[in-house]
Amino acid sequence: TEMELPPRPTLFDFHGVSMTKYFTDNWENIQSFKARPDDILIATYPKAGTTWVSYILDLLYFGETDCRSSVPLQERVPFLEISVPSRPKGKDLADQLPTAPRLIKTHLPVQFVPKSFWEQRSRVVYVARNAKDSAVSYFHFGRMNRVQPEPGDWSCFLQNFMQGKMVFGSWYEHVNTWWDQKQTYSNLHYMFYEDLIEDSGQEISRLCCFLGLSPTAEQRELVQTKVTFDNMKQNKITNFSTVPMMNQSISPFMRKGRVGDWKNHFTVSQNEQFEEDYQNKMKNSALVFRNEI
Ligand code: A3P
């Protein structure tokens, strides 16, 4: 029941980034995480398609065998920095993962990633999604997920998004500093949600190329079928229906899965203000995002 659930957190400044206690309480342990050379870190700003790419990688490596079929994705691919009272800590789940490679999820800004990942030269898959759809998806996620601060109303949330007053900080800084990291760290594959929507087969091929995988035609077919939006929405493994902190009657975790849903949320004047601010914040960025397809 509601009573037993931990309270919604508040944002505070953590080394220059907005964070909450649920992602900073276990900080020393997270920072001393012992990465392995074959670990694969899936890194994103929240709502960029983390779950989608996590399931793609999980299926490419391990398939869907009987003994795994009851293990939800959040246990197969632990969320490194999560630390919610009376729930297993992500760092401990990651430590205990029996698989090789270990697939590990993070939303940390690049400067907060435990050093051992870089030292061990672990592979990293970063997924980015356009700012407007990320903001919309994050808003609905805040409504349904008590691990998030109260999102407030949409216009207030959008102002906060533009100011980086979000858990894990500024979208603008996140996507750009991770892009910078790719320029010096060659084991990083940077991909886009919009490309996955447009041609998931091609993006899966690129992932396989980066990871050195050569799945058979049947394996590929299985992965492609399993990871469609509709199938992942129906699948208890991937739809987070077992997570008590989420109230899916407010908004389902697998919500829309489209490019351009921002058009159903932004008013004309919100869009103008957002665009102007965006150009300003992104003027030195090499990144080009698509807001529609
Ligand atoms: P929407 O809220 O726009 O629907 P994350 O996993 O990083 O939290 O991202 C969640 C977003 O990815 C949600 O976006 C969700 O619907 C979308 N998503 C998850 N699986 C998907 C899939 N197979 N195809 C398309 N979108 C997917």
Side-chain angles (χ1 to χ4, degrees):
T1 65
E2 289 274 304
M3 290 303 286
E4 293 154 359
L5 295 171
R8 281 194 183 255
T10 49
L11 280 182
F12 54 83
D13 181 275
F14 186 76
H15 304 291
V17 177
S18 292
M19 294 290 279
T20 70
K21 60 184 180 162
Y22 295 143
F23 304 104
T24 52
D25 272 358
N26 198 26
W27 199 250
E28 302 301 315
N29 284 329
I30 293 161
Q31 289 305 311
S32 60
F33 182 75
K34 287 193 174 57
R36 298 178 192 155
D38 64 341
D39 284 344
I40 299 172
L41 188 66
I42 301 162
T44 63
Y45 189 78
K47 312 320 290 173
T50 330
T51 312
W52 196 3
V53 170
S54 297
Y55 197 42
I56 291 171
L57 292 190
D58 178 71
L59 290 171
L60 282 171
Y61 277 103
F62 309 116
E64 195 65 88
T65 55
D66 285 350
C67 66
R68 286 169 69 77
S69 64
S70 63
V71 182
L73 192 64
Q74 59 271 22
E75 287 173 33
R76 301 180 188 191
V77 185
F79 185 2
L80 181 64
E81 60 271 20
I82 199 163
S83 166
V84 175
S86 67
R87 304 279 301 168
K89 294 193 189 339
K91 193 263 181 187
D92 296 336
L93 291 175
D95 276 336
Q96 292 153 20
L97 267 185
T99 57
R102 301 185 298 186
L103 305 175
I104 300 165
K105 156 186 162 178
T106 188
H107 291 315
L108 290 172
V110 69
Q111 69 273 22
F112 289 168
V113 170
K115 276 203 261 342
S116 61
F117 283 104
W118 314 122
E119 289 164 358
Q120 295 296 315
R121 301 215 40 90
S122 310
R123 282 163 301 177
V124 182
V125 175
Y126 186 84
V127 193
R129 183 180 192 182
N130 80 77
K132 293 179 195 175
D133 286 333
S134 292
V136 167
S137 184
Y138 212 175
F139 172 67
H140 290 292
F141 187 63
R143 294 170 53 231
M144 62 84 83
N145 184 2
R146 295 174 55 96
V147 169
Q148 289 291 314
E150 281 289 351
D153 69 16
W154 163 245
S155 74
C156 163
F157 183 89
L158 186 61
Q159 295 302 320
N160 287 334
F161 183 91
M162 288 161 60
Q163 292 166 31
K165 291 183 193 156
M166 296 280 118
V167 190
F168 300 105
S170 155
W171 175 93
Y172 312 85
E173 284 176 23
H174 207 282
V175 297
N176 281 305
T177 51
W178 272 98
W179 178 260
D180 294 342
Q181 182 72 1
K182 174 190 153 70
Q183 313 313 313
T184 53
Y185 187 78
S186 57
N187 276 356
L188 197 160
H189 179 70
Y190 197 109
M191 60 189 290
F192 296 90
Y193 179 89
E194 293 74 24
D195 293 343
L196 259 173
I197 290 281
E198 192 174 57
D199 190 345
S200 62
Q202 175 173 283
E203 288 309 304
I204 291 171
S205 295
R206 288 179 174 159
L207 271 171
C208 289
C209 182
F210 171 69
L211 299 167
L213 296 173
S214 10
T216 64
E218 291 96 299
Q219 282 172 318
R220 281 196 61 118
E221 187 111 350
L222 176 98
V223 176
Q224 293 247 46
T225 308
K226 288 247 175 214
V227 305
T228 63
F229 179 81
D230 290 337
N231 285 345
M232 283 182 65
K233 190 179 171 84
Q234 301 307 322
N235 187 345
K236 282 197 296 293
I237 302 302
T238 53
N239 65 14
F240 286 84
S241 55
T242 55
V243 176
M245 298 291 283
M246 295 185 187
N247 183 343
Q248 307 227 16
S249 67
I250 297 175
S251 177
F253 180 85
M254 299 291 297
R255 194 183 60 88
K256 282 213 175 158
R258 298 211 195 105
V259 180
D261 189 41
W262 65 270
K263 291 173 190 169
N264 300 316
H265 292 75
F266 283 62
T267 65
V268 171
S269 80
Q270 281 171 347
N271 191 39
E272 280 169 8
Q273 195 205 350
F274 192 91
E275 283 286 343
E276 188 184 335
D277 179 68
Y278 186 93
Q279 302 309 332
N280 191 31
K281 289 199 172 90
M282 299 293 281
K283 62 174 179 276
N284 296 319
S285 175
L287 287 163
V288 179
F289 286 90
R290 289 184 293 166
N291 297 314
E292 55 197 317
I293 285 183

Short mmCIF file of all heavy atoms in Angstrom, two decimals, residues 218-244:
data_model
loop_
_atom_site.label_atom_id
_atom_site.label_comp_id
_atom_site.label_asym_id
_atom_site.label_seq_id
_atom_site.Cartn_x
_atom_site.Cartn_y
_atom_site.Cartn_z
N GLU A 218 17.85 -16.42 -37.28
CA GLU A 218 16.76 -16.74 -36.35
C GLU A 218 16.88 -15.93 -35.05
O GLU A 218 15.89 -15.44 -34.52
CB GLU A 218 16.75 -18.23 -35.98
CG GLU A 218 16.35 -19.15 -37.10
CD GLU A 218 17.57 -19.72 -37.82
OE1 GLU A 218 18.37 -18.94 -38.38
OE2 GLU A 218 17.74 -20.94 -37.79
N GLN A 219 18.11 -15.83 -34.54
CA GLN A 219 18.32 -15.05 -33.31
C GLN A 219 17.89 -13.60 -33.52
O GLN A 219 17.21 -13.01 -32.68
CB GLN A 219 19.79 -15.08 -32.89
CG GLN A 219 20.20 -16.38 -32.20
CD GLN A 219 21.71 -16.43 -31.98
OE1 GLN A 219 22.50 -16.05 -32.86
NE2 GLN A 219 22.11 -16.89 -30.82
N ARG A 220 18.31 -13.05 -34.65
CA ARG A 220 17.96 -11.66 -34.96
C ARG A 220 16.45 -11.48 -35.03
O ARG A 220 15.91 -10.51 -34.51
CB ARG A 220 18.57 -11.25 -36.30
CG ARG A 220 20.02 -10.91 -36.23
CD ARG A 220 20.38 -10.17 -37.49
NE ARG A 220 19.60 -8.95 -37.55
CZ ARG A 220 20.13 -7.74 -37.56
NH1 ARG A 220 21.43 -7.59 -37.54
NH2 ARG A 220 19.36 -6.68 -37.61
N GLU A 221 15.83 -12.42 -35.68
CA GLU A 221 14.37 -12.38 -35.83
C GLU A 221 13.69 -12.39 -34.47
O GLU A 221 12.76 -11.64 -34.21
CB GLU A 221 13.95 -13.61 -36.66
CG GLU A 221 12.52 -13.62 -37.04
CD GLU A 221 12.30 -13.42 -38.54
OE1 GLU A 221 13.27 -13.08 -39.27
OE2 GLU A 221 11.16 -13.59 -38.96
N LEU A 222 14.19 -13.27 -33.59
CA LEU A 222 13.62 -13.36 -32.24
C LEU A 222 13.77 -12.03 -31.51
O LEU A 222 12.82 -11.52 -30.91
CB LEU A 222 14.32 -14.47 -31.44
CG LEU A 222 13.85 -14.56 -29.99
CD1 LEU A 222 12.80 -15.65 -29.83
CD2 LEU A 222 14.98 -14.77 -29.01
N VAL A 223 14.97 -11.46 -31.57
CA VAL A 223 15.21 -10.19 -30.89
C VAL A 223 14.27 -9.13 -31.44
O VAL A 223 13.55 -8.46 -30.69
CB VAL A 223 16.69 -9.74 -31.06
CG1 VAL A 223 16.91 -8.37 -30.44
CG2 VAL A 223 17.63 -10.76 -30.43
N GLN A 224 14.22 -9.01 -32.76
CA GLN A 224 13.40 -7.97 -33.39
C GLN A 224 11.93 -8.08 -32.99
O GLN A 224 11.26 -7.07 -32.77
CB GLN A 224 13.50 -8.08 -34.92
CG GLN A 224 14.87 -7.74 -35.44
CD GLN A 224 14.84 -6.46 -36.27
OE1 GLN A 224 14.25 -5.46 -35.87
NE2 GLN A 224 15.48 -6.49 -37.42
N THR A 225 11.45 -9.32 -32.92
CA THR A 225 10.05 -9.51 -32.55
C THR A 225 9.81 -9.18 -31.09
O THR A 225 8.85 -8.50 -30.74
CB THR A 225 9.63 -10.98 -32.82
OG1 THR A 225 9.99 -11.29 -34.15
CG2 THR A 225 8.15 -11.18 -32.62
N LYS A 226 10.71 -9.64 -30.23
CA LYS A 226 10.52 -9.44 -28.78
C LYS A 226 10.57 -7.98 -28.37
O LYS A 226 9.96 -7.61 -27.37
CB LYS A 226 11.62 -10.20 -28.02
CG LYS A 226 11.43 -11.70 -28.04
CD LYS A 226 11.12 -12.19 -26.66
CE LYS A 226 10.81 -13.66 -26.65
NZ LYS A 226 9.80 -13.98 -25.63
N VAL A 227 11.32 -7.16 -29.12
CA VAL A 227 11.56 -5.79 -28.65
C VAL A 227 10.65 -4.74 -29.29
O VAL A 227 10.88 -3.55 -29.12
CB VAL A 227 13.05 -5.37 -28.79
CG1 VAL A 227 13.96 -6.35 -28.07
CG2 VAL A 227 13.45 -5.18 -30.24
N THR A 228 9.62 -5.17 -29.99
CA THR A 228 8.66 -4.16 -30.47
C THR A 228 7.96 -3.54 -29.25
O THR A 228 7.87 -4.15 -28.18
CB THR A 228 7.59 -4.77 -31.39
OG1 THR A 228 6.83 -5.72 -30.63
CG2 THR A 228 8.21 -5.46 -32.60
N PHE A 229 7.49 -2.32 -29.45
CA PHE A 229 6.82 -1.62 -28.35
C PHE A 229 5.66 -2.43 -27.79
O PHE A 229 5.53 -2.63 -26.58
CB PHE A 229 6.33 -0.24 -28.83
CG PHE A 229 5.63 0.54 -27.77
CD1 PHE A 229 6.33 1.25 -26.81
CD2 PHE A 229 4.24 0.57 -27.71
CE1 PHE A 229 5.69 1.97 -25.81
CE2 PHE A 229 3.58 1.28 -26.71
CZ PHE A 229 4.31 1.97 -25.77
N ASP A 230 4.82 -2.93 -28.68
CA ASP A 230 3.63 -3.67 -28.22
C ASP A 230 4.02 -4.92 -27.45
O ASP A 230 3.41 -5.22 -26.41
CB ASP A 230 2.73 -4.03 -29.41
CG ASP A 230 2.07 -2.80 -30.01
OD1 ASP A 230 1.93 -1.79 -29.28
OD2 ASP A 230 1.71 -2.82 -31.20
N ASN A 231 5.00 -5.64 -27.94
CA ASN A 231 5.40 -6.86 -27.22
C ASN A 231 6.05 -6.54 -25.88
O ASN A 231 5.81 -7.23 -24.89
CB ASN A 231 6.31 -7.71 -28.10
CG ASN A 231 5.53 -8.43 -29.19
OD1 ASN A 231 4.30 -8.51 -29.12
ND2 ASN A 231 6.23 -8.94 -30.19
N MET A 232 6.86 -5.49 -25.83
CA MET A 232 7.47 -5.12 -24.55
C MET A 232 6.44 -4.58 -23.57
O MET A 232 6.57 -4.75 -22.36
CB MET A 232 8.61 -4.11 -24.75
CG MET A 232 9.88 -4.78 -25.26
SD MET A 232 11.27 -3.64 -25.47
CE MET A 232 11.57 -3.13 -23.77
N LYS A 233 5.40 -3.95 -24.08
CA LYS A 233 4.33 -3.44 -23.21
C LYS A 233 3.54 -4.58 -22.57
O LYS A 233 3.10 -4.49 -21.43
CB LYS A 233 3.40 -2.54 -24.04
CG LYS A 233 2.38 -1.75 -23.22
CD LYS A 233 1.53 -0.89 -24.15
CE LYS A 233 0.38 -0.25 -23.41
NZ LYS A 233 0.75 1.00 -22.72
N GLN A 234 3.37 -5.67 -23.33
CA GLN A 234 2.64 -6.83 -22.81
C GLN A 234 3.50 -7.73 -21.92
O GLN A 234 2.97 -8.57 -21.19
CB GLN A 234 2.12 -7.71 -23.97
CG GLN A 234 1.18 -7.01 -24.94
CD GLN A 234 0.02 -6.34 -24.26
OE1 GLN A 234 -0.53 -6.86 -23.30
NE2 GLN A 234 -0.34 -5.15 -24.73
N ASN A 235 4.80 -7.57 -22.02
CA ASN A 235 5.73 -8.51 -21.40
C ASN A 235 6.04 -8.11 -19.95
O ASN A 235 6.60 -7.04 -19.69
CB ASN A 235 7.02 -8.53 -22.25
CG ASN A 235 8.00 -9.59 -21.81
OD1 ASN A 235 7.88 -10.14 -20.70
ND2 ASN A 235 8.99 -9.85 -22.65
N LYS A 236 5.71 -9.01 -19.00
CA LYS A 236 5.95 -8.73 -17.58
C LYS A 236 7.42 -8.52 -17.26
O LYS A 236 7.78 -7.87 -16.28
CB LYS A 236 5.42 -9.88 -16.72
CG LYS A 236 3.91 -9.86 -16.53
CD LYS A 236 3.46 -10.73 -15.36
CE LYS A 236 3.75 -12.21 -15.58
NZ LYS A 236 2.95 -12.81 -16.67
N ILE A 237 8.29 -9.11 -18.08
CA ILE A 237 9.73 -8.96 -17.88
C ILE A 237 10.17 -7.51 -18.11
O ILE A 237 11.08 -7.01 -17.46
CB ILE A 237 10.50 -9.88 -18.87
CG1 ILE A 237 10.09 -11.34 -18.69
CG2 ILE A 237 12.01 -9.71 -18.76
CD1 ILE A 237 10.29 -11.90 -17.31
N THR A 238 9.50 -6.84 -19.07
CA THR A 238 9.99 -5.53 -19.49
C THR A 238 9.07 -4.35 -19.14
O THR A 238 9.47 -3.20 -19.32
CB THR A 238 10.20 -5.50 -21.03
OG1 THR A 238 8.98 -5.94 -21.66
CG2 THR A 238 11.33 -6.39 -21.45
N ASN A 239 7.85 -4.61 -18.68
CA ASN A 239 6.92 -3.47 -18.51
C ASN A 239 6.88 -2.91 -17.09
O ASN A 239 6.06 -2.05 -16.78
CB ASN A 239 5.52 -3.84 -19.01
CG ASN A 239 4.87 -4.93 -18.17
OD1 ASN A 239 5.33 -5.25 -17.07
ND2 ASN A 239 3.78 -5.49 -18.68
N PHE A 240 7.78 -3.37 -16.23
CA PHE A 240 7.93 -2.84 -14.87
C PHE A 240 6.66 -3.02 -14.02
O PHE A 240 6.48 -2.34 -13.02
CB PHE A 240 8.34 -1.35 -14.88
CG PHE A 240 9.78 -1.11 -15.25
CD1 PHE A 240 10.16 -1.03 -16.58
CD2 PHE A 240 10.76 -0.95 -14.28
CE1 PHE A 240 11.48 -0.82 -16.94
CE2 PHE A 240 12.09 -0.73 -14.63
CZ PHE A 240 12.44 -0.66 -15.96
N SER A 241 5.78 -3.95 -14.44
CA SER A 241 4.53 -4.13 -13.69
C SER A 241 4.78 -4.69 -12.29
O SER A 241 3.90 -4.62 -11.44
CB SER A 241 3.59 -5.04 -14.48
OG SER A 241 4.22 -6.25 -14.79
N THR A 242 5.97 -5.19 -12.03
CA THR A 242 6.25 -5.77 -10.71
C THR A 242 6.89 -4.76 -9.75
O THR A 242 7.23 -5.12 -8.63
CB THR A 242 7.21 -6.98 -10.85
OG1 THR A 242 8.38 -6.55 -11.55
CG2 THR A 242 6.56 -8.11 -11.62
N VAL A 243 7.07 -3.52 -10.19
CA VAL A 243 7.74 -2.53 -9.35
C VAL A 243 6.72 -1.73 -8.55
O VAL A 243 5.91 -0.99 -9.11
CB VAL A 243 8.60 -1.57 -10.23
CG1 VAL A 243 9.22 -0.48 -9.38
CG2 VAL A 243 9.69 -2.36 -10.96
N PRO A 244 6.71 -1.88 -7.20
CA PRO A 244 5.67 -1.24 -6.39
C PRO A 244 5.73 0.29 -6.39
O PRO A 244 4.71 0.93 -6.14
CB PRO A 244 5.92 -1.80 -4.98
CG PRO A 244 7.31 -2.33 -4.99
CD PRO A 244 7.63 -2.70 -6.39
#
